[in-house]
Amino acid sequence: MDNVSEKNGVVSKNFIESIIEKDLDEGLYSEVVTRFPPEPNGYLHIGHAKSILLNAGLAKKYGGKWNLRFDDTNPTKERTEFVESIIEDVEWLTGEKKEEIFYASNYFQQMYEAAVKLIQKGKAFVCDLSPEEMREYRGTLTEPGKNSPYRERTIEENLKLFEEMKEGKYPDGSKVLRAKIDMASPNMNMRDPIIYRVARMHHHNTGDKWCIYPMYDFAHPIEDAIEGVSHSICTLEFEDHRPLYDWVLRELEFENPPKQIEFSKLYLTNVITGKRYIKKLVEDKIVDGWDDPRLVSIAALRRRGFTPDAIQLFMELSGVSKSQASSDYAMLEYCIREDLKLKRSRMMAVLDPIKLVITNYPEGQIEYLDVSNNQENEELGTRKIPFGRELYIEREDFMIEPPKKYFRLYPGNEVRLMNAYFVKCEEYITDENGKVTEVHCTYDPETKCGSGFTGRKVKGTIHWVEASTAKTATVRLYENIVDEEKGVYNEDGSVNLNPNSLQILSNCYVEPELANAKAYDSFQFVRQGYFCVDAKDSVTDSLVFNRIVSLKSSYKPV
């Protein structure tokens, strides 16, 4: 992610770029190597996109490389489904196919040997304290901890016990391997942290080969060092872990060790990003999966119709810094509007249809009108759309008794049919409940769009689709899944759900050209917003469109 801006000829860099350039200038590293290390225990969300684009962008900017590495050291919640979804998300977001995927689990043997090396140096010991006892010995933020009674075991005894842990001779949780650092350290992470545990769990990559697994804080620096990472970019919660990261690298005597740098996470207002909350929504069938378009997982944003370019712009506007800040969801919506407005065709779709009959238009005749695909971008060209005697218009575009300043159709009023003719409402038909079912109009053939007609003006223009050639579609209108007035979470930790987060319109009509639209294709529906073909439920004879975003924005860029 490139956060370099230029103003008055001065280039400003974010603080990470300044550190990297200093390291390169001083010859600390000959190549920039970064990594994105997700744990495969769920789908990635918008917050992860910042880290992906930052790491990929830094590598690109400085002519280096970046690794996609799965930190799969905790098989309890890890699944192959999540591995596959993460690869797909990362490749879609970056536009880069990763020829080589890295796995922390591929380094389990090296991690085991590293632990043995620490034991041999007298820097690690096997501890039998229970979790409760360990908490008691650990101390508090204001009081130092005290040494484990097992801390002074001999090197030989520790080597023997650790080997037996590996061989499965001890129950899960009965013994751990701890680093021997300083129980009086003001940094709680340095108080003889656990670096290995006994855990009989089937692993998605290594199967049942191992019954001991390394802890993240021990594994992570080793993974970085093995892969030759130069700059390990982490979020701020790992700042207090950096001394342990450096300690592991120093004690294991890695040459040219990586440097950990922390930046602030991306926080988005009024959205759900917590994996356990999303998991519950999925399990309770409140959403139809991790990619439900109301969520902000990367898969959900893609399915809804967001683009990599829009997410990239959003990250650039959010910036990279050490200070925590929240970004408004409206800014993300602004970014997708900015990305799509000149790239997508503007099509006509009627979401709440009533029939309009032009009584003086020849029966059975269809003519084709030339229409610009995007009035703001001529490069998108033109298309021909059918026009005939019977059309569909939006129900809200006709009123029997309109209020003042209502310029659309009502009895006796004349409007322009977009890209076509003037029509005047002569009469209407209602059903037994008084609901309008048809509007009957006459048209003026002299007023064809583009003919240069100047005889009179009308104040209203409405869109339409020709009835005999229109394609039926289902349209999904999405709102925030969270009730924004109440906040994201209740006191009991449950989510404040918006009961109106999804509205399904099943009797919509769209231009016939949209019948050829494929999954993820997106368009602007005139006066309605931007819409995307749903990748999961839409099929050729049963189109489903998701509203990406409305046309109006509440966000104003600074």
Side-chain angles (χ1 to χ4, degrees):
M1 186 169 65
D2 190 354
N3 274 277
V4 178
S5 61
E6 189 169 341
K7 189 175 183 180
N8 299 325
V10 177
V11 176
S12 67
K13 306 178 181 68
N14 66 53
F15 77 100
I16 297 177
E17 291 166 337
S18 297
I19 292 172
I20 289 175
E21 291 186 11
K22 183 174 182 291
D23 290 344
L24 292 174
D25 289 343
E26 294 177 354
L28 190 60
Y29 302 104
S30 60
E31 181 185 30
V32 172
V33 180
T34 61
R35 84 291 171 270
F36 173 64
E39 184 180 354
N41 61 358
Y43 280 56
L44 301 181
H45 57 68
I46 186 68
H48 296 109
K50 181 176 182 177
S51 183
I52 295 167
L53 292 171
L54 177 59
N55 280 284
L58 290 170
K60 182 178 180 181
K61 178 178 177 63
Y62 297 106
K65 63 181 181 180
W66 69 282
N67 295 341
L68 170 58
R69 179 216 305 145
F70 288 96
D71 260 319
D72 54 351
T73 57
N74 180 15
T76 309
K77 301 176 182 178
E78 296 166 359
R79 300 213 308 258
T80 303
E81 173 196 352
F82 299 141
V83 171
E84 293 171 349
S85 75
I86 289 170
I87 293 172
E88 184 177 0
D89 289 345
V90 168
E91 292 184 344
W92 172 76
L93 189 60
T94 61
E96 174 187 345
K97 183 166 182 59
K98 301 302 288 183
E99 298 298 334
E100 184 177 11
I101 307 293
F102 297 83
Y103 295 87
S105 54
N106 287 344
Y107 311 138
F108 279 167
Q109 182 62 37
Q110 288 134 296
M111 292 175 192
Y112 174 78
E113 292 168 0
V116 169
K117 182 173 182 176
L118 290 183
I119 295 172
Q120 291 171 334
K121 292 180 67 175
K123 296 291 186 177
F125 67 98
V126 175
C127 184
D128 296 2
L129 290 178
S130 68
E132 295 77 18
E133 291 171 327
M134 203 169 294
R135 279 193 292 271
E136 180 186 339
Y137 274 67
R138 195 175 185 216
T140 66
L141 292 173
T142 56
E143 297 177 352
K146 54 185 179 180
N147 290 343
S148 164
Y150 306 100
R151 197 176 197 266
E152 300 309 319
R153 278 173 163 159
T154 65
I155 290 174
E156 290 72 23
E157 185 180 5
N158 282 318
L159 288 171
K160 177 177 178 293
L161 290 171
F162 189 52
E163 178 68 20
E164 290 174 346
M165 287 168 60
K166 173 176 171 284
E167 292 172 354
K169 293 187 177 180
Y170 301 108
D172 289 6
S174 61
K175 294 183 188 296
V176 295
L177 183 68
R178 297 174 66 181
K180 189 186 290 189
I181 307 178
D182 182 6
M183 289 303 293
S185 172
N187 186 332
M188 300 289 280
N189 296 296
M190 301 297 281
R191 295 185 184 178
D192 292 6
I194 298 172
I195 58 177
Y196 256 96
R197 68 205 187 282
V198 178
R200 289 167 176 79
M201 298 179 287
H202 182 79
H203 193 283
H204 73 94
N205 188 28
T206 59
D208 298 314
K209 179 179 179 180
W210 295 90
C211 66
I212 56 171
Y213 289 97
M215 303 299 287
Y216 178 87
D217 278 347
F218 178 66
H220 191 221
I222 296 173
E223 298 158 23
D224 285 348
I226 289 172
E227 292 174 12
V229 168
S230 60
H231 297 86
S232 183
I233 314 299
C234 304
T235 46
L236 277 179
E237 69 263 32
F238 291 101
E239 189 170 29
D240 289 341
H241 297 248
R242 193 193 326 144
L244 179 54
Y245 181 95
D246 292 340
W247 182 91
V248 171
L249 294 172
R250 184 170 60 252
E251 293 298 334
L252 292 175
E253 303 169 36
F254 282 105
E255 292 184 14
N256 208 24
K259 176 182 289 189
Q260 179 174 304
I261 306 171
E262 307 85 19
F263 70 100
S264 64
K265 272 185 175 181
L266 172 70
Y267 289 97
L268 200 57
T269 56
N270 292 316
V271 301
I272 305 167
T273 54
K275 289 176 183 175
R276 66 186 180 96
Y277 295 105
I278 296 175
K279 184 171 181 286
K280 182 166 176 54
L281 292 176
V282 173
E283 291 173 346
D284 293 347
K285 300 190 182 305
I286 293 169
V287 296
D288 74 346
W290 288 80
D291 62 350
D292 186 291
R294 289 167 289 180
L295 301 175
V296 290
S297 66
I298 295 176
L301 290 170
R302 181 187 182 197
R303 182 179 170 194
R304 183 156 172 175
F306 281 80
T307 63
D309 286 348
I311 296 173
Q312 170 84 41
L313 175 60
F314 176 64
M315 297 306 163
E316 290 173 0
L317 292 176
S318 298
V320 176
S321 71
K322 279 272 192 182
S323 58
Q324 295 285 19
S326 294
S327 296
D328 195 331
Y329 187 82
M331 185 166 79
L332 180 60
E333 293 182 322
Y334 164 81
C335 292
I336 187 63
R337 289 189 190 96
E338 284 296 297
D339 184 48
L340 296 182
K341 69 180 182 180
L342 298 180
K343 297 179 180 178
R344 298 296 186 265
S345 294
R346 297 176 181 178
M347 315 292 285
M348 292 198 286
V350 176
L351 308 190
D352 185 13
I354 56 173
K355 181 76 70 72
L356 185 147
V357 180
I358 304 174
T359 56
N360 63 334
Y361 193 89
E363 289 193 39
Q365 177 176 310
I366 296 290
E367 63 176 305
Y368 287 85
L369 307 174
D370 290 316
V371 176
S372 172
N373 285 327
N374 188 317
Q375 289 84 352
E376 295 181 65
N377 183 3
E378 293 182 358
E379 292 182 5
L380 290 186
T382 61
R383 68 185 186 282
K384 291 186 179 295
I385 58 173
F387 181 86
R389 176 185 172 90
E390 295 189 358
L391 315 172
Y392 291 110
I393 64 169
E394 290 289 349
R395 183 169 297 278
E396 66 176 19
D397 286 341
F398 174 80
M399 294 187 74
I400 299 172
E401 297 179 356
K404 288 184 178 180
K405 296 186 177 180
Y406 182 85
F407 299 123
R408 285 166 273 176
L409 266 182
Y410 55 86
N413 192 42
E414 189 173 42
V415 300
R416 174 174 288 286
L417 294 175
M418 187 175 289
N419 302 306
Y421 300 93
F422 287 7
V423 293
K424 182 179 180 181
C425 177
E426 306 292 349
E427 61 179 345
Y428 58 90
I429 299 173
T430 62
D431 61 17
E432 64 274 12
N433 298 315
K435 185 177 182 180
V436 176
T437 56
E438 281 190 12
V439 177
H440 289 187
C441 295
T442 55
Y443 89 116
D444 182 349
E446 301 296 321
T447 60
K448 186 173 183 178
C449 189
S451 66
F453 175 79
T454 58
R456 62 189 181 280
K457 295 184 182 295
V458 292
K459 291 184 177 180
T461 299
I462 64 175
H463 69 281
W464 52 274
V465 292
E466 199 277 323
S468 67
T469 56
K471 301 300 179 182
T472 58
T474 297
V475 171
R476 296 168 176 167
L477 304 179
Y478 293 102
E479 301 292 344
N480 195 339
I481 196 170
V482 170
D483 187 332
E484 295 184 13
E485 292 184 1
K486 297 180 181 178
V488 180
Y489 304 112
N490 294 304
E491 289 184 4
D492 63 0
S494 61
V495 176
N496 271 318
L497 293 173
N498 172 12
N500 302 312
S501 62
L502 171 60
Q503 181 184 2
I504 300 176
L505 307 177
S506 56
N507 188 34
C508 305
Y509 292 97
V510 299
E511 288 186 35
E513 189 168 312
L514 287 170
N516 300 317
K518 304 182 296 298
Y520 301 113
D521 285 352
S522 58
F523 310 88
Q524 183 190 122
F525 286 175
V526 172
R527 296 170 57 204
Q528 305 283 8
Y530 293 95
F531 290 78
C532 175
V533 179
D534 187 80
K536 185 180 286 187
D537 299 324
S538 188
V539 294
T540 302
D541 296 327
S542 184
L543 296 170
V544 179
F545 291 93
N546 300 325
R547 183 169 67 184
I548 309 168
V549 67
S550 63
L551 293 178
K552 294 181 180 179
S553 174
S554 61
Y555 173 78
K556 301 297 180 186
V558 178

